[in-house]
Amino acid sequence: MQFQRVLIIGSGLLGASLGLRLRMLGVEVFLEDNSPMACSLARDLGAGVIASKDEDIRPDLVIVAVPPDVTPRVVCETLERFDDAIVTDVASVKKRIAEGVNGHSQAHRYIGSHPMAGRERSGAIAADADLFEGRPWVVCAGPTVPPDTVLAIQQLALEVGAMPVMLEPAEHDRAVALVSHVPQLVSSLVAGTLRGASAKDLGLAGQGLRDVTRIASSDSALWTSIIAGNSRFIAPILEDIGKGALDLAAALRQGEENPGAPGVTVNVAQVIKRGNDGVDRIPGKHGGAPERYTHVFVLIPDKPGELGRLFSDIRDIGANVEDFSLEHSVSQQVGRGEISVIPSAAKFLASGLEERGWQVFIEGGEQ
Amino acid sequence: MQFQRVLIIGSGLLGASLGLRLRMLGVEVFLEDNSPMACSLARDLGAGVIASKDEDIRPDLVIVAVPPDVTPRVVCETLERFDDAIVTDVASVKKRIAEGVNGHSQAHRYIGSHPMAGRERSGAIAADADLFEGRPWVVCAGPTVPPDTVLAIQQLALEVGAMPVMLEPAEHDRAVALVSHVPQLVSSLVAGTLRGASAKDLGLAGQGLRDVTRIASSDSALWTSIIAGNSRFIAPILEDIGKGALDLAAALRQGEENPGAPGVTVNVAQVIKRGNDGVDRIPGKHGGAPERYTHVFVLIPDKPGELGRLFSDIRDIGANVEDFSLEHSVSQQVGRGEISVIPSAAKFLASGLEERGWQVFIEGGEQ
């Protein structure tokens, strides 16, 4: 990789994770953060050394890993502070930042990045050198950036394990509004309705509610900055969903007053059907076309080592597991494992598990 | 169990699954369904025998497992058709059914049930004798039902592996609107926004979008009937969410026109914060208080047997896994496993895995 001295401004989840990874690659990493504590934590984790105020560190790359709202200012300051360093950022919005930087005389040294890696948890404390492994890394290059600089950032993405994807800033912002920002807000809105619920009501919660609301535990300060920075693309989609919810509620109230009115069922069926169509379009793992595996269900007693015994048995049987999910039961000591395998392997896996004493059921009923 | 001859009307997912389980318990099960094909399929899966029109089957229990909209009618017909059978149903709405049955002279033989078991897939083809294992089974008894009858249905729930929960019909409907019906509709609304998206945009989708939209692949006909039957409790929650989405969109548009207006950030932060509070109230597995485990992250190469090798190693190390989830990476051959263990076991597990060659990271950074 062409970068040997990297300054990372901001020691949050992304900054610290990049530091950890770059250190593993033998790159010299300097850290800066407004918060001395965050900076020390990142250093103690092994993400780099704290940049001294007096030292002339002469970085060849500066990664600005601060919240989206302050990113344009910090990028411009950085372009002025270092004469020849390439500057990138990691913010999850790109158009506003491009607008804030593109007029700058040194804009040809700035390339926008968005490594699409994140977690519900934030801060250096959650940092992970493998955070970027297999994730898309969006690269947005302005009109004056030389091809070599673009290549260097693409290579940086590859070196930390990510997949570079070239996008225009507006394309990027529109896409993430749809696949990330709006789902985040809606998950929060649904979770918000649970605040006043009784423990008895919440005891009826199943896996569906848990899935829909998982990302609602995300960090409030970070997401506020992200959402505010992409309001232009988020607002229309949120309006679509808001109007859809109110239309549906109106149809339901109408049906309440006038039972049997056809409007209700048509409206509800359409919402569900459109959802079916939309979810079918989400690509499967590794970014390929949506795939269909056969699902083998196994009942897993909740006692020490059972999950380990299951996987050890699967290994002995020799089946390649494409996906595995564990569904917890409420109020009882048992879990349901769903093992996804290619269809031709399902029967073989199921009979092998049965021989080893597991309660097994293949999707489709052919046990 | 006091029931020895059970008639199941309706051979869908729930009817067929109950048939399978009751047959395992040695109960004589008769099946009826408007669709001869669905009925034969359930029989072929082992859920019972097809009830002959001529035979006087004299059931001691009839389980009405038809869609919610036709359930009240079928329950009343069944009370008239059999002089002394106890009748229950499995519909996911309870108040409308109670209202439709309570006036009947034989209402003392009807008890409403809602086994809270379901899947995105439907029909006898997805049936599973273990479907009810560990799930809540809501029991709604009308004012004229003798205690012995209530006890018999509670025992039925326990025999099929479920946990009986006594609720008033309105209490039940309000709770499931909140924890099941509204999340379903909102998941469908979010998934619906993806219909027109490009493959490139959808390539940026991460685990968050997949989780929020997983239940959007549910069966449209069944859910239309469920939603229409609980409109009274769903409408106000849906309005809350719809208004919340529109308010937020309005604040975002205002911020777009007037950058830096404080309304935007306050509004967004409040939505995220309320979501944090709500999601924290969802109970952990087995219906206990929300639990906090330590998460150990492992990088899993996508080649045959790796997941099996991981679990076999975990077993050798001797750690008890509380939860496991696999996060797929887009565009690259690697997955991230998140292993949840009690905090005191995390370090032990992580060092054991590292010794065995895994790339491991403990949440909190103490690697």
Side-chain angles (χ1 to χ4, degrees):
Chain A
M1 189 171 59
Q2 85 170 63
F3 303 118
Q4 290 308 319
R5 292 173 67 83
V6 176
L7 169 64
I8 300 176
I9 303 178
S11 299
L13 173 66
L14 293 180
S17 296
L18 278 168
L20 284 173
R21 183 65 175 233
L22 291 172
R23 288 293 305 125
M24 281 171 53
L25 296 168
V27 174
E28 206 161 351
V29 178
F30 301 91
L31 304 168
E32 276 185 13
D33 197 295
N34 279 343
S35 151
M37 206 180 67
C39 214
S40 313
L41 177 59
R43 177 200 55 199
D44 295 348
L45 291 169
V49 300
I50 298 179
S52 147
K53 292 279 170 211
D54 310 322
E55 194 189 354
D56 182 9
I57 51 177
R58 297 185 168 275
D60 43 23
L61 172 70
V62 182
I63 302 173
V64 175
V66 300
D69 50 344
V70 290
T71 298
R73 178 176 57 74
V74 177
V75 167
C76 289
E77 285 169 7
T78 306
L79 288 170
E80 286 150 29
R81 182 171 155 205
F82 302 104
D83 285 342
D84 48 9
I86 291 172
V87 179
T88 191
D89 71 315
V90 300
S92 14
V93 298
K94 294 268 72 83
K95 191 162 162 48
R96 278 204 186 168
I97 296 167
E99 285 167 356
V101 177
N102 280 349
H104 197 280
S105 65
Q106 297 296 305
H108 60 277
R109 287 193 282 119
Y110 166 73
I111 288 205
S113 289
H114 179 203
M116 307 234 13
R119 301 174 52 185
E120 299 101 85
R121 306 164 194 105
S122 59
I125 196 81
D128 183 348
D130 300 321
L131 191 70
F132 310 98
E133 205 65 54
R135 301 304 178 92
W137 178 304
V138 177
V139 178
C140 298
T144 59
V145 178
D148 276 4
T149 307
V150 178
L151 210 64
I153 295 294
Q154 288 174 316
Q155 200 194 346
L156 168 74
L158 288 168
E159 290 278 351
V160 302
M163 279 293 298
V165 178
M166 297 296 297
L167 283 177
E168 290 298 315
E171 276 185 307
H172 165 273
D173 286 5
R174 193 176 33 74
V176 294
L178 192 68
V179 304
S180 168
H181 303 170
V182 169
Q184 170 65 52
L185 290 170
V186 175
S187 177
S188 296
L189 286 168
V190 172
T193 66
L194 306 175
R195 284 178 307 146
S198 70
K200 198 171 185 183
D201 288 359
L202 290 168
L204 300 184
Q207 198 57 39
L209 180 70
R210 289 185 172 81
D211 285 349
V212 170
T213 59
R214 184 183 62 84
I215 54 174
S217 54
S218 296
D219 181 63
S220 154
L222 174 66
W223 273 96
T224 301
S225 169
I226 293 173
I227 301 297
N230 199 21
S231 49
R232 180 183 148 191
F233 290 104
I234 294 170
I237 309 171
L238 210 49
E239 278 163 3
D240 257 19
I241 291 175
K243 281 178 194 156
L246 291 182
D247 285 352
L248 197 51
L252 291 175
R253 287 202 185 270
Q254 210 184 346
E256 196 65 31
E257 283 160 24
N258 180 12
V264 187
T265 49
V266 170
N267 206 312
V268 177
Q270 202 169 50
V271 167
I272 305 274
K273 187 64 185 57
R274 284 182 181 164
N276 292 165
D277 294 345
V279 82
D280 279 348
R281 303 208 56 227
I282 302 176
K285 68 170 175 165
H286 308 324
E291 286 177 275
R292 292 279 171 240
Y293 296 113
T294 298
H295 306 284
V296 177
F297 296 91
V298 186
L299 200 63
I300 306 166
D302 183 44
K303 52 186 189 187
E306 285 299 285
L307 204 51
R309 185 166 69 85
L310 173 64
F311 272 82
S312 157
D313 285 350
I314 293 171
R315 191 192 178 187
D316 293 347
I317 295 164
N320 188 23
V321 173
E322 299 290 341
D323 200 354
F324 178 82
S325 68
L326 187 62
E327 200 174 327
H328 287 302
S329 306
V330 176
S331 315
Q332 203 164 334
Q333 304 298 309
V334 78
R336 284 165 59 91
E338 177 175 339
I339 309 167
S340 307
V341 291
I342 54 169
S344 60
K347 215 156 183 168
F348 176 70
L349 170 64
S351 55
L353 287 172
E354 280 180 340
E355 279 165 23
R356 287 162 177 83
W358 294 96
Q359 274 183 269
V360 182
F361 195 85
I362 304 185
E363 176 186 39
E366 292 179 281
Q367 200 164 358
Chain B
M1 188 172 57
Q2 86 172 63
F3 302 117
Q4 290 308 317
R5 293 173 67 83
V6 176
L7 169 64
I8 299 176
I9 302 178
S11 298
L13 173 66
L14 292 180
S17 296
L18 278 169
L20 284 173
R21 182 64 175 233
L22 291 173
R23 288 293 305 124
M24 280 170 54
L25 296 169
V27 175
E28 205 162 350
V29 178
F30 301 90
L31 304 168
E32 275 185 13
D33 197 294
N34 278 343
S35 152
M37 207 181 67
C39 213
S40 312
L41 177 59
R43 178 200 55 200
D44 295 349
L45 291 170
V49 298
I50 298 179
S52 147
K53 292 279 171 210
D54 310 322
E55 194 190 353
D56 183 7
I57 51 177
R58 296 183 167 276
D60 42 25
L61 172 70
V62 182
I63 301 172
V64 175
V66 300
D69 50 344
V70 290
T71 298
R73 178 176 57 74
V74 177
V75 166
C76 290
E77 284 168 8
T78 305
L79 287 170
E80 285 150 29
R81 183 171 153 204
F82 302 105
D83 285 344
D84 48 10
I86 291 171
V87 179
T88 191
D89 70 316
V90 300
S92 15
V93 297
K94 295 268 71 83
K95 191 162 162 52
R96 278 204 186 168
I97 296 167
E99 285 167 355
V101 177
N102 279 350
H104 197 281
S105 65
Q106 297 295 306
H108 60 277
R109 287 193 282 118
Y110 166 73
I111 287 204
S113 289
H114 179 203
M116 307 235 11
R119 303 172 52 183
E120 299 100 85
R121 307 165 193 105
S122 61
I125 196 78
D128 184 345
D130 300 320
L131 191 70
F132 309 98
E133 206 65 53
R135 301 304 179 92
W137 178 304
V138 177
V139 178
C140 299
T144 60
V145 177
D148 276 4
T149 307
V150 178
L151 209 64
I153 294 293
Q154 288 175 316
Q155 200 193 348
L156 169 75
L158 289 168
E159 289 279 350
V160 303
M163 278 294 296
V165 179
M166 297 297 299
L167 283 177
E168 290 300 314
E171 275 185 308
H172 165 273
D173 286 5
R174 191 176 36 73
V176 293
L178 190 70
V179 304
S180 167
H181 302 172
V182 168
Q184 170 64 52
L185 289 170
V186 174
S187 177
S188 296
L189 286 168
V190 172
T193 66
L194 306 175
R195 284 177 307 146
S198 69
K200 198 170 184 183
D201 288 359
L202 291 168
L204 301 183
Q207 197 59 37
L209 181 69
R210 289 184 172 81
D211 285 349
V212 171
T213 60
R214 184 183 62 84
I215 54 173
S217 54
S218 296
D219 181 63
S220 154
L222 174 66
W223 273 95
T224 301
S225 170
I226 293 173
I227 301 298
N230 200 22
S231 48
R232 180 182 148 191
F233 290 104
I234 294 170
I237 308 171
L238 210 49
E239 277 163 3
D240 257 17
I241 292 175
K243 281 178 194 156
L246 291 183
D247 285 352
L248 196 51
L252 291 176
R253 286 200 187 273
Q254 210 184 342
E256 195 64 33
E257 283 160 26
N258 180 13
V264 187
T265 48
V266 171
N267 207 313
V268 176
Q270 201 170 52
V271 167
I272 304 274
K273 188 61 185 58
R274 284 181 181 164
N276 291 167
D277 294 344
V279 82
D280 278 348
R281 303 209 56 227
I282 302 176
K285 68 170 177 168
H286 310 323
E291 286 178 274
R292 293 277 172 240
Y293 296 114
T294 298
H295 306 284
V296 177
F297 297 92
V298 186
L299 199 63
I300 306 165
D302 184 43
K303 53 186 189 188
E306 285 300 284
L307 204 50
R309 184 166 71 83
L310 173 64
F311 272 82
S312 157
D313 285 350
I314 293 172
R315 192 193 179 185
D316 292 347
I317 295 164
N320 187 24
V321 173
E322 299 291 342
D323 200 353
F324 178 81
S325 68
L326 187 61
E327 200 175 326
H328 287 303
S329 307
V330 176
S331 314
Q332 203 163 331
Q333 304 298 309
V334 78
R336 284 165 58 91
E338 178 176 339
I339 309 168
S340 307
V341 292
I342 53 169
S344 60
K347 215 156 184 170
F348 177 68
L349 171 64
S351 56
L353 287 173
E354 279 180 343
E355 279 165 24
R356 288 163 177 81
W358 294 96
Q359 275 184 266
V360 181
F361 195 84
I362 304 186
E363 177 186 38
E366 291 179 283
Q367 200 165 0

